[in-house]
Amino acid sequence: MRKKVLFIGMLVTLLFAFSGCGTKNEGVVTLIMSDVQEGDHPTAQACDKFAELVKKRTNGKVVIEVYHGSTLGTEAEQIAQATVGGIDFVRVSSVAAYYDDIKAFQALYLYSSEDDMWKVLDGEIGNEFLKAQQLKDNGLEGLCWISGGSRNFYNNVRPITSPEDLAGLTLRVNTDSMFAFLESCGAKGINVSYNDIYNSIEAGTIDGAENNWPSYISTGHYKVAPYITVDEHTRIPEMIVASTESMNKLTSEQQQIVRECAQEAGQLQRKWMQEYDEKAIKAAEDAGCTITYLTKEQSAKFQSVAEPINEKVSAKYMTIIRKIKAAQ
């Protein structure tokens, strides 16, 4: 108990130290960035690259110190700090708590391919989301999009080639859309803790789950759920966001450099994520997993089940969803 109290005390002290970061030392502005992923993950690499580019292009006048893992708390805690300038930059998987419309990206089978997603995000729609007034109202600025990979079903019972093959399975999911989708297929969704998925599959509480390739491998889920179907039902892009309060501590020239460096780091991260995916797929193949790649006709069946679910669960965002589909 004493160790726990000491740890919490140290964390509080650390956050107080970061409050009002953007400290100046002989013309040098030092800023803090956080990312819950560990240092070898593509998103963590992007944060490091972003910091490196900013330091170089400001001639060392803006220094960004990057903290990986849970050093500065959970992702929700980190972005909450950013809204008040306690943390200057954060890599986040979602800003839905501060920008409701971004939930449109949770729609099922929203894109036909990775390229289609980037076509949307690199265009007018993506720029509108990054510069959204609702983000500004919450003290945040979107700097760039980064890849969160695509999510797929995996289980320990059988290969999945059609929605009917899901019938009777119990899978771990955590969004309203996924619960509704499984129910439509005669399957059952259950939201167990992410850290409990492996043990739950092993114990038979659930038959599998859904996630992206890197997570499938890094968690060891492939060892207990060797059947994976590459249906790519969701592609939810991630962001690097800045605290508006922190950006205002920089000159207009420095702010522009920060935005440009974030965009460049984001472009590189896409390549790193693809390489990360390829390594994960190779690991699954080497482990003897059964990987099912859907044909165009098979994919269409999954999409037809998802359409009415999107209309119902994501009804509030259908105008945006239709705009995204039209832009592909």
Side-chain angles (χ1 to χ4, degrees):
M1 176 62 73
R2 184 171 180 272
K3 289 182 178 179
K4 185 176 180 180
V5 171
L6 285 173
F7 172 76
I8 293 173
M10 289 172 64
L11 181 59
V12 171
T13 301
L14 190 60
L15 288 175
F16 267 114
F18 291 152
S19 295
C21 352
T23 55
K24 296 185 179 181
N25 181 20
E26 296 181 356
V28 175
V29 180
T30 301
L31 302 170
I32 299 300
M33 181 171 196
S34 61
D35 175 24
V36 294
Q37 298 288 5
E38 298 299 335
D40 62 342
H41 193 279
T43 65
Q45 290 178 308
C47 294
D48 290 338
K49 188 64 177 180
F50 169 54
E52 175 192 323
L53 291 171
V54 169
K55 183 176 182 179
K56 179 179 179 181
R57 293 179 188 173
T58 61
N59 296 315
K61 294 298 183 182
V62 178
V63 176
I64 300 174
E65 297 177 355
V66 183
Y67 292 81
H68 299 301
S70 300
T71 308
L72 304 184
T74 65
E75 182 173 299
E77 290 167 342
Q78 291 175 13
I79 193 169
Q81 283 287 316
T83 63
V84 294
I87 295 177
D88 306 299
F89 303 101
V90 187
R91 191 286 308 173
V92 290
S93 58
S94 174
V95 292
Y98 303 95
Y99 183 22
D100 188 66
D101 283 353
I102 209 162
K103 290 178 183 176
F105 289 130
Q106 295 177 7
L108 301 175
Y109 303 101
L110 186 58
Y111 308 101
S112 299
S113 68
E114 181 90 359
D115 287 342
D116 282 341
M117 183 181 76
W118 292 122
K119 181 179 179 181
V120 171
L121 296 179
D122 289 338
E124 180 183 346
I125 295 173
N127 288 330
E128 287 176 357
F129 271 91
L130 288 177
K131 298 175 182 177
Q133 186 60 47
Q134 195 173 353
L135 280 180
K136 295 177 182 177
D137 292 342
N138 282 290
L140 300 170
E141 176 183 342
L143 295 180
C144 71
W145 297 105
I146 58 177
S147 175
S150 62
R151 299 176 75 94
N152 307 292
F153 292 113
Y154 52 87
N155 75 95
N156 63 357
V157 179
R158 56 179 172 265
I160 304 299
T161 61
S162 70
E164 291 77 15
D165 290 334
L166 288 165
L169 298 182
T170 299
L171 304 179
R172 186 269 186 181
V173 296
N174 64 350
T175 66
D176 291 341
S177 293
M178 291 309 305
F179 280 110
F181 182 84
L182 290 182
E183 184 178 357
S184 294
C185 298
K188 180 182 178 182
I190 183 172
N191 189 5
V192 302
S193 169
Y194 181 71
N195 293 331
D196 291 336
I197 294 176
Y198 185 101
N199 290 337
S200 296
I201 296 174
E202 194 171 42
T205 306
I206 58 176
D207 300 307
E210 54 86 41
N211 214 318
N212 59 30
W213 274 108
S215 296
Y216 178 58
I217 296 300
S218 66
T219 56
H221 293 176
Y222 71 98
K223 297 177 183 178
V224 289
Y227 299 104
I228 181 166
T229 294
V230 186
D231 70 305
E232 300 178 336
H233 47 263
T234 50
R235 296 177 183 274
I236 303 177
E238 303 182 358
M239 269 186 184
I240 290 178
V241 299
S243 164
T244 303
E245 183 174 327
S246 302
M247 288 289 279
N248 288 340
K249 294 173 182 176
L250 305 176
T251 66
S252 57
E253 181 182 0
Q254 289 171 339
Q255 289 179 28
Q256 185 58 28
I257 289 173
V258 163
R259 294 183 181 107
E260 291 171 358
C261 290
Q263 286 287 328
E264 186 171 333
Q267 290 287 334
L268 289 169
Q269 189 270 349
R270 300 177 194 182
K271 174 178 176 291
W272 296 333
M273 190 66 175
Q274 183 177 10
E275 293 171 350
Y276 206 74
D277 274 2
E278 290 170 356
K279 289 179 182 178
I281 293 170
K282 180 65 164 55
E285 291 172 343
D286 291 345
C289 294
T290 300
I291 304 173
T292 301
Y293 294 95
L294 299 179
T295 65
K296 187 174 181 180
E297 291 74 20
Q298 289 170 334
S299 293
K301 291 181 180 180
F302 283 87
Q303 291 166 24
S304 66
V305 173
E307 279 185 29
I309 292 170
N310 285 337
E311 292 279 356
K312 181 179 179 181
V313 177
S314 300
K316 183 179 178 181
Y317 315 104
M318 283 309 299
T319 299
I320 301 171
I321 290 171
R322 292 191 185 101
K323 190 175 178 181
I324 289 171
K325 286 184 172 292
Q328 296 178 44

